[in-house]
């Protein structure tokens, strides 16, 4: 590659980054200029270049070199089967922006297939944001199955359970899990999971071709606690036992080992599908989620990851 080509590619990288900050992250040109350390006029030209070069559709359509490099290194280091790294907004504290759009694109790509598939879906804020990005589709050949219960402790529908929203968007056959997210006792959980109407859903989840899940942290603002699924006492007990994160309610420690007892013996979620026979993709980013992401990829609780640049770099530095 000659110097002119290198300059051109770098220019497109800069344009793609500016375009992402403008169209996806919603920054003004003044904010882009400040974040990239350039003048407002240069920021304006880069955003215009991103559009004129066809890099901007609904999402940035140019692979940013650093993102590609980080993805390749993550894939190699943790033996993952799929990795996508999106740009980071340097000043944003969002744990969904960018990866929700990337996840939506990956979900859409798989649903466009004419070959029938079974897609399993977890729950949470990132997945909800991703599903809301999906365009209306007609996918009667596919089956979409929920890994988690959809009933909150007060009997209402769990707000971040996305199975019904997704079914409405893509018109696929949907298989919800009409259970509480966490049962009141291990005996109740066992009784509920043994019901004839639940067994086919559990069996279908185990056969999923591809699965999308979030990773929830177990800090003071843990989603399981904030959304009312566990009490403050249960949260502290899980933390004391070494719990750092959860996937569809299953709490695990820094080594990716499931915590014994406490709430794990009451979780009514399906088991994560086989990572040897299928693809289980986590959508997660941010400092609070970093220990959980690291544990999940090290233990191979997941074999796919959609994250952002900062988190990807931190994962590689921690490995």
């Amino acid at each position: 590659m000659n110097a002119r080509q290198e300059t051109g590619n770098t220019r497109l990288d800069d344009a793609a980054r500016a375009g992402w900050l403008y169209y996806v992250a919603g920054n003004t040109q003044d904010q882009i200029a400040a974040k990239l350390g350039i003048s407002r006029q240069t920021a304006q030209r880069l955003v215009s270049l991103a559009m004129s070069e066809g890099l901007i559709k609904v999402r940035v359509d140019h692979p940013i070199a650093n993102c590609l490099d980080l993805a390749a290194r993550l894939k190699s280091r943790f033996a993952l089967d799929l990795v996508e790294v999106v740009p980071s907004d340097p000043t944003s504290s969002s744990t969904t922006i960018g990866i929700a759009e990337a996840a939506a694109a990956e979900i859409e790509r798989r649903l466009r297939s004419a070959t029938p598939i079974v897609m399993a879906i977890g729950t949470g804020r990132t997945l909800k944001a991703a599903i809301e990005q999906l365009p209306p589709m007609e996918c009667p050949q596919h089956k979409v199955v929920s890994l988690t219960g959809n009933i909150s402790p007060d009997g209402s529908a769990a707000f971040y359970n996305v199975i019904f929203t997704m079914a409405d968007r893509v018109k696929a056959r949907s298989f919800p899990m009409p259970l509480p997210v966490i049962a009141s006792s291990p005996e109740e959980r066992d009784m509920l999971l043994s019901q004839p109407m639940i067994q086919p859903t559990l069996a279908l989840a185990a056969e999923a071709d591809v699965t999308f899940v979030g990773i929830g942290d177990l800090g003071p603002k843990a989603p399981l606690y904030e959304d009312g699924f566990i009490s403050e006492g249960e949260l502290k007990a899980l933390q004391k036992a070494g719990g750092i994160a959860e996937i569809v309610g299953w709490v695990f420690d820094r080594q990716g080992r499931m915590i014994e007892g406490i709430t794990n013996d009451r979780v009514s979620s399906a088991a994560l599908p086989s990572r040897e026979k299928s693809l289980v993709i986590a959508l997660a980013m941010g400092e609070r989620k970093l220990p959980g992401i690291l544990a999940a990829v090290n233990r191979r609780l997941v074999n796919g990851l959609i994250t952002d640049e900062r988190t990807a770099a931190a994962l590689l530095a921690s490995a």
Side-chain angles (χ1 to χ4, degrees):
M1 182 181 294
N2 60 40
R4 180 174 295 179
Q5 286 175 314
E6 288 182 356
T7 300
N9 286 343
T10 300
R11 186 72 169 168
L12 285 180
D13 272 3
D14 292 342
R17 191 177 295 277
W20 185 90
L21 286 169
Y22 187 77
Y23 290 100
V24 178
N27 286 250
T28 66
Q29 291 177 0
D30 285 329
Q31 290 172 321
I32 294 170
K35 290 176 180 180
L36 298 185
I38 56 180
S39 68
R40 185 183 186 281
Q41 290 74 19
T42 300
Q44 184 178 27
R45 286 195 292 270
L46 287 173
V47 172
S48 297
L49 179 63
M51 181 62 73
S52 66
E53 289 292 326
L55 309 183
I56 303 297
K57 295 178 182 175
V58 176
R59 51 189 175 266
V60 176
D61 203 29
H62 175 78
I64 296 174
N66 190 50
C67 293
L68 286 177
D69 177 63
L70 288 168
R73 290 166 61 195
L74 282 175
K75 192 173 184 181
S76 174
R77 170 62 184 82
F78 297 105
L80 297 171
D81 297 315
L82 179 146
V83 179
E84 182 165 355
V85 176
V86 304
S88 295
D89 181 339
T91 62
S92 175
S93 60
S94 171
T95 58
T96 66
I97 195 165
I99 63 171
E101 289 79 4
E106 184 65 23
I107 292 170
E108 180 183 351
R109 183 178 73 81
R110 292 178 181 275
L111 291 176
R112 293 288 183 194
S113 169
T115 303
I117 64 168
V118 176
M119 180 180 291
I121 294 291
T123 187
R125 291 152 176 76
T126 308
L127 262 173
K128 185 174 188 293
I131 299 308
E132 289 172 351
Q133 298 282 336
L134 288 175
M137 301 170 67
E138 296 285 339
C139 305
Q141 73 275 30
H142 301 315
K143 296 177 181 178
V144 181
V145 58
S146 177
L147 291 178
T148 65
N150 55 26
I151 302 174
S152 296
D154 63 0
S156 64
F159 184 73
Y160 292 105
N161 189 287
V162 299
I163 186 71
F164 298 114
T165 303
M166 186 169 180
D168 185 58
R169 285 288 176 95
V170 305
K171 301 299 186 291
R173 291 185 64 193
S174 63
F175 296 80
M177 195 86 75
L179 300 173
V181 176
I182 298 179
S184 60
S185 69
E187 294 76 21
E188 181 186 72
R189 192 274 301 268
D190 292 343
M191 181 272 293
L192 290 170
L193 293 181
S194 68
Q195 297 304 303
M197 67 177 294
I198 300 300
Q199 287 293 307
T201 303
L202 292 173
L204 188 64
E207 297 171 4
D209 299 292
V210 62
T211 300
F212 293 88
V213 296
I215 296 179
D217 74 278
L218 223 64
K221 295 186 177 181
L224 280 179
Y225 170 62
E226 288 208 323
D227 296 342
F229 296 117
I230 62 175
S231 67
E232 184 178 5
E234 289 169 331
L235 174 60
K236 290 181 177 178
L238 288 165
Q239 292 170 339
K240 187 176 180 180
I244 58 158
E246 53 85 17
I247 297 177
V248 295
W250 299 108
V251 178
F252 53 93
D253 66 15
R254 289 185 182 275
Q255 284 70 48
R257 298 174 302 205
M258 295 296 165
I259 299 298
E260 293 196 14
I262 310 178
T263 58
N264 271 359
D265 59 4
R266 296 188 281 119
V267 173
S268 60
S269 300
L272 289 173
S274 168
R275 277 75 72 198
E276 304 308 315
K277 300 177 182 178
S278 67
L279 190 57
V280 179
I281 304 170
L283 327 175
M285 61 183 272
E287 185 177 353
R288 285 189 294 113
K289 296 189 178 189
L290 183 61
I293 302 171
L294 185 61
V297 295
N298 265 326
R299 193 75 174 189
R300 204 170 172 81
L301 300 179
V302 301
N303 56 354
L305 178 65
I306 297 176
T307 191
D308 74 319
E309 283 177 295
R310 279 185 300 189
T311 307
L315 285 169
L316 290 165
S318 301

